[in-house]
């Protein structure tokens, strides 16, 4: 199994190209199931999760091809994927696939809407919490689906098609919003989705659906109005830049000191994160084509208190990275995790490097230390893993991160992007 070895202590200087967003690419790929025409996606990041989902879609009968790779003057632009779901040959998403990547559960809505039937394995547990799917199922039931759970599978039918309705989510869920929104595009009549998630990746998918002929109003707000159509068409869409990758590298620069331009990053996607980093003493500046992040000499200031929240609040997917930064702040910071109940696995690994973090329920109190010391640590999930990379970059001596396959699920060319800016980081294969 691959490991990552980091010799900490180097400031980061240079340019880091921001890739297309994983959390937009995945649902955009799934949107291809809604039409028999070709959906072309540009700026798709080369990630393990993307490649696995492409395999899952091929299983359903989707034809998938990839254009030649990232030639040209804009290095952050990713690959171009084409998907054509002319004939869907299999409406089952098996456990072996869905258990490996939770987002593949999201094929449920589109399969049901287009074919009136879908058998999708329940995703099962996950390292960061129980992550139920009740909101997805209630939303689809409200659209007229008949849903049973049989042997760990969601067996969904809509023999007379789906019918538009008003759905008010009791809780904000990114996945449930994706699932119901896509299904509603092919339902009969109008669907109103209230308390919809406002994450930019939902807006990106909604804009793609509009290009495919869907009628959606309220994009970017918590109330979406969808007028169902009998069919959607093909389209071409460019995946938006990854705000979690942007925030992660911004935290890394804040952690090591230095001066980096995040090329292709867009400020409106990361306002809450940049505001937190500014409080920590980081200089942020809009520059042509990106965002410049710098910390030259100034100490890291603690952040009195921050809570993770649905967008536009501070994202749970950056909680671990911010915590890594706070381990060396001059004072005490409090981070409260309100989205997932068990998203603190990085805490004990950060402690191995010398961090001082007390956990109480959903709250972590981080008392900054003068120095972290390199050690062996274990990656536990995607975002926790990258927080260990940040901590390793701050630590004195060598840090070795085991089980880095978690990183490959969501960060494209992580070591290359960091080492181009002066980090001493290498992958040890095997
Ligand atoms: C998505 C993101 C993930 C991010 C998360 C929250 C992708 C591929 N994944 O995950 O990176 O951390 O949003 O921003 O985009 N919940 C229920 N019932 C449900 C569904 C969710 O109770 O049916 C709860 C979850 O347990 C969690 C909260 O709602 O406590 C938010 O989860 P949700 O927004 O659905 O996360 P995901 O879509 O799985």
């Amino acid at each position: 199994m691959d490991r990552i070895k980091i010799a900490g202590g180097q400031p980061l200087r240079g340019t880091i190209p921001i890739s297309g967003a994983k959390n937009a690419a995945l649902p955009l790929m799934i949107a291809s199931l809604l039409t028999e025409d070709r959906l072309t996606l540009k700026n798709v990041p080369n990630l393990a999760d993307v490649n696995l989902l492409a395999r899952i879609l091929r299983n359903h009968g989707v034809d998938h091809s990839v254009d030649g790779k990232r030639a040209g003057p804009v290095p952050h632009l990713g690959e171009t994927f084409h998907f054509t779901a002319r004939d869907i040959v299999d409406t089952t998403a098996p456990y072996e696939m869905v258990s490996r990547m939770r987002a593949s559960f999201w094929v449920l809505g589109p399969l049901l809407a287009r074919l009136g039937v879908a058998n999708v394995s329940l995703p099962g547990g996950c390292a960061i919490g129980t992550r139920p799917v009740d909101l997805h199922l209630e939303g689809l039931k409200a659209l007229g689906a008949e849903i049973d759970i049989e042997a760990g599978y969601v067996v969904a039918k809509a023999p007379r098609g789906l019918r538009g309705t008003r759905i008010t989510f009791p809780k904000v869920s990114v996945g449930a919003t994706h699932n119901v929104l896509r299904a509603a595009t092919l339902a009969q009549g109008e669907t109103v989705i209230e308390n919809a998630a406002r994450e930019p990746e939902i807006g990106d998918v909604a804009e793609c659906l509009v290009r495919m002929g869907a009628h959606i109003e309220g994009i970017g707000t918590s109330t979406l109005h969808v007028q169902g159509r009998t069919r959607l068409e093909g389209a071409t869409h460019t995946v938006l830049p990854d705000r979690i990758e942007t925030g992660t590298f911004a935290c890394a620069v804040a952690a090591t000191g230095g001066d980096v331009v995040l090329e292709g990053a867009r400020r409106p996607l990361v306002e809450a994160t940049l505001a937190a980093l500014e409080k920590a003493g980081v200089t942020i500046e809009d520059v042509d084509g990106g965002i410049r992040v710098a910390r030259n000499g100034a100490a890291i200031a603690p952040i009195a208190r921050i809570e993770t929240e649905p967008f536009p609040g501070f994202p749970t997917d950056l909680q671990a990275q911010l915590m890594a930064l706070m381990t060396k702040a001059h004072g005490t910071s409090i981070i409260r995790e309100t989205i997932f109940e068990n998203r603190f696995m990085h805490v004990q690994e950060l402690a191995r490097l010398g961090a001082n973090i007390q956990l109480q329920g959903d709250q972590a109190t981080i008392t900054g230390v003068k120095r972290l010391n390199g050690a062996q640590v274990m990656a536990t999930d995607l975002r926790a893993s990258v927080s260990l990379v940040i901590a390793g970059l701050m630590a004195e001596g060598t840090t070795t991160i085991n089980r880095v396959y978690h990183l490959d699920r969501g960060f494209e060319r992580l070591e290359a992007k960091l080492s181009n800016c002066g980090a001493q980081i290498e992958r040890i294969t095997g």
Side-chain angles (χ1 to χ4, degrees):
M1 243 183 267
D2 289 6
R3 285 166 295 154
I4 282 183
K5 201 168 150 190
I6 300 170
Q10 305 298 322
L12 297 172
R13 293 190 191 282
T15 298
I16 298 182
I18 298 301
S19 298
K22 170 182 87 83
N23 284 358
L26 300 177
L28 284 164
M29 290 165 70
I30 290 173
S32 69
L33 291 168
L34 291 165
T35 175
E36 55 190 39
D37 299 341
R38 184 157 103 156
L39 177 65
T40 296
L41 298 176
K42 296 183 172 178
N43 196 28
V44 178
N46 185 1
L47 299 169
D49 271 9
V50 164
N51 296 327
L52 177 60
L53 182 61
R55 243 178 80 194
I56 292 171
L57 292 174
R58 287 198 295 270
N59 248 12
H60 289 299
V62 179
D63 184 66
H64 167 225
S65 63
V66 184
D67 274 2
K69 287 200 54 164
R70 59 187 83 231
V74 191
H76 61 266
L77 287 185
E79 292 173 310
T80 297
F81 279 17
H82 306 281
F83 296 96
T84 310
R86 194 172 314 282
D87 300 306
I88 295 176
V89 294
D90 193 342
T91 53
T92 298
Y95 175 75
E96 297 69 36
M97 300 277 191
V98 182
S99 60
R100 286 173 62 192
M101 195 203 6
R102 195 185 154 80
S104 58
F105 181 76
W106 299 352
V107 299
L108 179 63
L111 286 177
L112 187 62
R114 174 138 167 233
L115 298 156
V117 54
N119 298 319
V120 179
S121 168
L122 286 164
C126 159
I128 65 172
T130 49
R131 299 181 87 173
V133 290
D134 54 317
L135 301 173
H136 300 240
L137 302 188
E138 290 308 316
L140 294 173
K141 276 186 198 165
L143 288 172
E146 298 162 12
I147 294 184
D148 289 305
I149 307 291
E150 289 172 17
Y153 277 72
V154 175
V155 179
K157 295 188 191 105
R160 287 176 300 282
L162 298 174
R163 282 177 191 281
T165 186
R166 179 175 292 267
I167 294 165
T168 305
F169 284 121
K171 181 174 187 178
V172 176
S173 162
V174 172
T177 304
H178 274 308
N179 231 334
V180 169
L181 170 64
R182 278 184 298 248
T185 60
L186 290 180
Q188 295 165 44
E190 186 185 45
T191 301
V192 181
I193 308 174
E194 292 178 323
N195 202 23
R198 283 182 286 161
E199 269 61 10
E201 294 76 21
I202 297 203
D204 202 39
V205 173
E207 276 163 22
C208 176
L209 292 170
V210 168
R211 288 205 173 97
M212 293 165 73
H215 292 170
I216 304 172
E217 281 175 19
I219 296 175
T221 75
S222 56
T223 305
L224 298 168
H225 291 257
V226 187
Q227 302 291 341
R229 301 275 317 267
T230 49
R231 70 181 297 273
L232 297 185
E233 293 123 37
T236 297
H237 182 82
T238 302
V239 180
L240 92 172
D242 195 315
R243 67 195 164 95
I244 304 304
E245 191 197 27
T246 304
T248 298
F249 285 123
C251 285
V253 179
T256 58
D259 196 332
V260 168
V261 171
L262 303 174
E263 193 181 26
R266 284 193 214 151
R267 186 186 267 266
L269 306 182
V270 284
E271 285 290 8
T273 307
L274 298 184
L277 292 179
E278 276 174 333
K279 276 191 196 148
V282 177
T283 306
I284 314 273
E285 192 193 344
D286 287 319
V287 293
D288 198 20
I291 299 173
R292 179 172 159 234
V293 181
R295 184 174 69 81
N296 290 312
I300 303 169
I303 293 177
R305 186 185 168 87
I306 200 159
E307 294 192 357
T308 60
E309 288 171 291
F311 191 85
F314 186 86
T316 174
D317 284 350
L318 285 166
Q319 179 255 105
Q321 297 88 316
L322 186 72
M323 193 180 298
L325 172 64
M326 288 299 111
T327 60
K328 272 184 75 178
H330 280 236
T332 299
S333 313
I334 291 177
I335 301 183
R336 187 166 162 248
E337 171 57 60
T338 73
I339 309 288
F340 293 111
E341 75 269 30
N342 186 25
R343 204 168 206 185
F344 282 133
M345 275 91 56
H346 44 285
V347 168
Q348 60 188 29
E349 299 303 307
L350 291 171
R352 294 177 57 76
L353 301 173
N356 179 357
I357 305 170
Q358 305 301 319
L359 274 185
Q360 207 174 19
D362 60 4
Q363 189 164 295
T365 304
I366 307 113
T367 307
V369 293
K370 279 213 164 55
R371 53 183 278 179
L372 298 178
N373 294 305
Q376 293 252 1
V377 288
M378 186 81 82
T380 49
D381 72 64
L382 173 57
R383 311 304 179 185
S385 316
V386 84
S387 78
L388 300 176
V389 172
I390 293 173
L393 294 171
M394 296 166 94
E396 291 174 30
T398 302
T399 296
T400 307
I401 304 170
N402 297 293
R403 290 203 195 161
V404 297
Y405 57 84
H406 288 292
L407 281 176
D408 298 333
R409 288 185 40 219
F411 289 94
E412 190 180 34
R413 299 188 297 122
L414 180 79
E415 309 95 274
K417 289 184 183 186
L418 286 170
S419 62
N420 284 345
C421 290
Q424 289 187 16
I425 178 168
E426 61 171 327
R427 178 179 291 248
I428 301 163
T429 43

